[in-house]
Amino acid sequence: MAFSIRTRLTFWYVSLLMISFLSMGAIFSYSLYSTFITRIDAQISSVADMLPHTVINPKGQLFLPGDFAIMLERFFGIRTSGNHIQILEPHGKVVAVSSGLGKLTLPLDKETYANAIKGVSTFETIKQRGQFSVRMISRPVILKGRGLVAIVQVGSSLELMEEVFRSLFYIFIFGAAASLVIAGVIGWFLARKALGPVTAITATARRIGAENLNERIEVDNRGDEIGKLATTVNEMIERLEDSFKQIKQFSADASHELKTPLTILKGEMEIALRGHGDAEFMREVIESSLEEVDRMSGIVKSLLDLTKIGVEKEAATLEQVHLEIVLMERFEHFKRFALDRGVTLKVVKNEPAVVEADPLRIGQLFYNLIDNAIKYTGKGGQVELSVYKEKEKAVFKVKDTGVGIMSEDLPHVFDRFYRVDKARTREAGGAGLGLSICKEIVETYGGTISVESSHGAGTLFTVTLPLASGS
Ligand SMILES: Nc1ncnc2c1ncn2[C@@H]1O[C@H](COP(=O)(O)OP(=O)(O)OP(=O)(O)O)[C@@H](O)[C@H]1O
Ligand SMILES: [Mg+2]
């Protein structure tokens, strides 16, 4: 069964308090008891020490007058009230009794008797059923040459001590019980106060769904543990909110991008339907429709890539990819395209640099950057490519003398669907996904991508990737 933290806290709190009460009580009673007993032992043993001189003559004969008690009090000043005094013959028979304790008789058990024969005094506490206990000393009287001539027993009532203990016990029990109840109740409320914010966090967290991710938990005290927890949960909700917003934006953008070619396609098909069977005209319409279909499949492929790149890193087996080889492959691929557009494509530096990655994705990264550089550089422009190693990193640079990017657009070029000049890039066939795919690839393999540009003068993209171990 699961108890709430509040219940457990209160339980532990009260239990600890109870344990400390009990141990304090035990220590206190033990030391009080020892003090009492030491005192009583001293008192009875001093009486027992005096007695042999009063009742035994030097020859070892017992001298027992008719009224033993009066004799003790009058002649020797030994107080008999509260004490019980017994004289026993060597074989244990009681021969004189003076009792200030009613009808009490003191026992002489075997062990005590054995001690007495050896000349050793014995202290005992005798518990009497239904009555107070008695502390007793049994002291042997031994004379030189005669051995054990008598045993003197002095008992003193422990009534006072027992009464003190009884009252202390009740005071302790009631005091402790009352304190525990009060501490429990206060503890219960304190725990509620301390854990109140947790209840608030739970309530807010329960309320929050996709629709109200803008809600936050109120934080009263940011410094304490619960304040930190609430702040952390708030930060988590904020990140969730951001992700949700991004996903929403992404779906909106994606549908919008697909809608445009679909509308064009629909228009073209309607024209074709209305056409009068002119083969040339039909051909033009179909060609133009195919372009839109290509554009759409391009967008869909890019979208799929974007969702796959981060996920596939775990699944894909990483390979040693030689960037200098990838660069040459891409250079060969784009040579013709650049030439057609009147752009000079050059490799200015190509040093061996090996990274650990999926070769297809690295190819795609190079493709997108070189494709942009050529696309956004006019006739007569130049595109320079380089690969080299620098500070444990592989570096890939694409530098062009093209249209450049305005500084206000620079921070956004890696955003999904972001295009600087919508009209022109649509002509060039771009959906604004190329650079976000590059960023995703680079970050997946632990690298960085950055851009520097001056409007009208050209752009430089720099990619760094960690070198493969051992290269
Ligand atoms: N080398 C460059 N010179 C000037 N502008 C650039 C350059 N590279 C990118 N841009 C600008 O950044 C925008 C985003 O580039 P990105 O590659 O993401 O999209 P795209 O090229 O428009 O479309 P896609 O690559 O998806 O076909 C481009 O539309 C363009 O305006
Ligand atoms: Mg592009």
Side-chain angles (χ1 to χ4, degrees):
M1 187 162 146
F3 292 102
S4 68
I5 293 187
R6 189 179 167 194
T7 314
R8 276 183 283 163
L9 269 180
T10 314
F11 172 77
W12 282 114
Y13 179 62
V14 170
S15 307
L16 279 177
L17 206 63
M18 194 154 82
I19 291 170
S20 60
F21 271 147
L22 286 179
S23 34
M24 256 161 48
I27 294 169
F28 177 72
S29 330
Y30 179 76
S31 52
L32 192 66
Y33 178 81
S34 309
T35 314
F36 261 113
I37 290 296
T38 315
R39 289 223 149 188
I40 290 171
D41 283 357
Q43 184 243 322
I44 56 179
S45 80
S46 80
V47 173
D49 285 347
M50 267 188 338
L51 271 172
H53 310 295
T54 68
V55 294
I56 296 163
N57 67 21
K59 287 182 191 154
Q61 289 157 336
L62 286 172
F63 164 69
L64 297 167
D67 201 330
F68 183 48
I70 292 177
M71 184 209 77
L72 288 177
E73 297 216 352
R74 290 233 178 114
F75 296 99
F76 299 97
I78 294 174
R79 249 171 19 90
T80 51
S81 66
N83 282 337
H84 180 96
I85 299 171
Q86 266 182 196
I87 311 288
L88 287 78
E89 285 180 346
H91 48 269
K93 185 173 170 244
V94 179
V95 287
V97 177
S98 155
S99 185
L101 300 176
K103 289 184 186 142
L104 181 77
T105 49
L106 297 177
L108 176 70
D109 64 30
K110 276 188 189 155
E111 206 180 317
T112 312
Y113 187 57
N115 283 344
I117 290 171
K118 283 187 263 168
V120 177
S121 301
T122 309
F123 287 97
E124 290 162 88
T125 301
I126 294 152
K127 303 230 181 300
Q128 297 175 287
R129 194 172 285 211
Q131 278 193 55
F132 47 86
S133 306
V134 170
R135 182 73 178 166
M136 164 184 98
I137 180 171
S138 304
R139 182 191 188 287
V141 183
I142 293 180
L143 286 187
K144 261 194 192 143
R146 297 241 2 227
L148 183 67
V149 293
I151 298 169
V152 174
Q153 290 185 312
V154 180
S156 177
S157 157
L158 293 182
E159 190 176 10
L160 177 68
M161 185 188 87
E162 280 175 357
E163 257 172 26
V164 168
F165 267 92
R166 197 171 304 123
S167 342
L168 278 182
F169 177 75
Y170 289 126
I171 292 172
F172 176 77
I173 288 297
F174 286 118
S179 314
L180 286 180
V181 170
I182 293 169
V185 172
I186 292 176
W188 177 255
F189 281 105
L190 280 182
R192 186 170 81 170
K193 193 162 163 37
L195 294 172
V198 176
T199 319
I201 294 176
T202 316
T204 313
R206 201 170 272 157
R207 244 194 343 264
I208 289 178
E211 293 318 310
N212 51 353
L213 272 172
N214 55 344
E215 270 200 44
R216 294 290 179 272
I217 297 160
E218 269 177 49
V219 189
D220 295 332
N221 191 353
R222 289 179 177 275
D224 66 12
E225 289 84 345
I226 291 174
K228 282 183 195 154
L229 172 70
T231 313
T232 312
V233 173
N234 277 344
E235 286 165 2
M236 189 190 80
I237 299 171
E238 198 161 326
R239 285 197 297 275
L240 278 178
E241 192 184 9
D242 282 351
S243 308
F244 257 75
K245 271 188 194 153
Q246 277 179 20
I247 292 171
K248 267 191 177 168
Q249 185 62 42
F250 183 65
S251 327
D253 290 346
S255 352
H256 181 76
E257 284 307 318
L258 289 169
K259 208 174 140 219
T260 316
L262 270 177
T263 315
I264 298 173
L265 199 59
K266 185 166 178 263
E268 280 169 350
M269 286 176 165
E270 278 166 359
I271 295 172
L273 260 187
R274 270 189 262 119
H276 308 293
D278 177 355
E280 184 57 22
F281 175 73
M282 289 303 266
R283 190 183 168 78
E284 270 173 28
V285 172
I286 290 176
E287 264 176 8
S288 153
S289 305
L290 265 180
E291 260 173 38
E292 294 306 320
V293 171
D294 279 348
R295 185 195 298 280
M296 277 196 293
S297 61
I299 295 174
V300 170
K301 183 182 171 300
S302 297
L303 287 175
L304 276 177
D305 280 344
L306 267 179
T307 49
K308 276 196 316 204
I309 292 165
V311 185
E312 73 189 0
K313 192 194 173 188
E314 269 82 67
T317 43
L318 301 185
E319 285 176 32
Q320 307 258 312
V321 183
H322 290 258
L323 296 190
E324 74 280 9
I325 298 177
V326 179
L327 184 73
M328 284 324 289
E329 282 169 6
R330 287 291 159 234
F331 174 71
E332 292 301 327
H333 175 93
F334 276 111
K335 236 170 32 185
R336 173 101 229 135
F337 180 56
L339 199 69
D340 286 351
R341 299 192 149 227
V343 173
T344 318
L345 182 64
K346 276 203 284 191
V347 175
V348 289
K349 201 176 193 182
N350 199 16
E351 295 175 2
V354 185
V355 299
E356 214 153 77
D358 178 348
L360 277 178
R361 292 300 174 209
I362 297 297
Q364 193 174 15
L365 168 73
F366 278 48
Y367 181 99
N368 287 353
L369 290 178
I370 302 172
D371 177 57
N372 280 350
I374 299 173
K375 265 195 323 200
Y376 304 115
T377 300
K379 234 184 174 105
Q382 265 197 21
V383 173
E384 295 179 349
L385 311 174
S386 41
V387 160
Y388 55 94
K389 279 197 270 195
E390 191 179 75
K391 292 185 199 152
E392 312 291 306
K393 295 259 157 64
V395 183
F396 166 50
K397 282 190 170 169
V398 183
K399 187 167 185 267
D400 66 56
T401 57
V403 294
I405 303 167
M406 285 204 278
S407 54
E408 65 256 36
D409 291 314
L410 267 185
H412 303 293
V413 289
F414 296 106
D415 292 353
R416 292 166 180 189
F417 297 109
Y418 192 84
R419 286 167 304 198
V420 174
D421 180 343
K422 310 247 173 298
R424 194 179 58 221
T425 41
R426 194 177 148 71
E427 258 168 51
L433 289 171
L435 286 179
S436 47
I437 291 176
C438 291
K439 185 163 182 264
E440 196 79 26
I441 295 173
V442 169
E443 285 177 355
T444 301
Y445 295 111
T448 61
I449 182 165
S450 59
V451 55
E452 292 159 45
S453 183
S454 53
H455 190 53
T459 309
L460 167 66
F461 277 93
T462 308
V463 170
T464 70
L465 286 167
L467 286 170
S469 47
S471 67

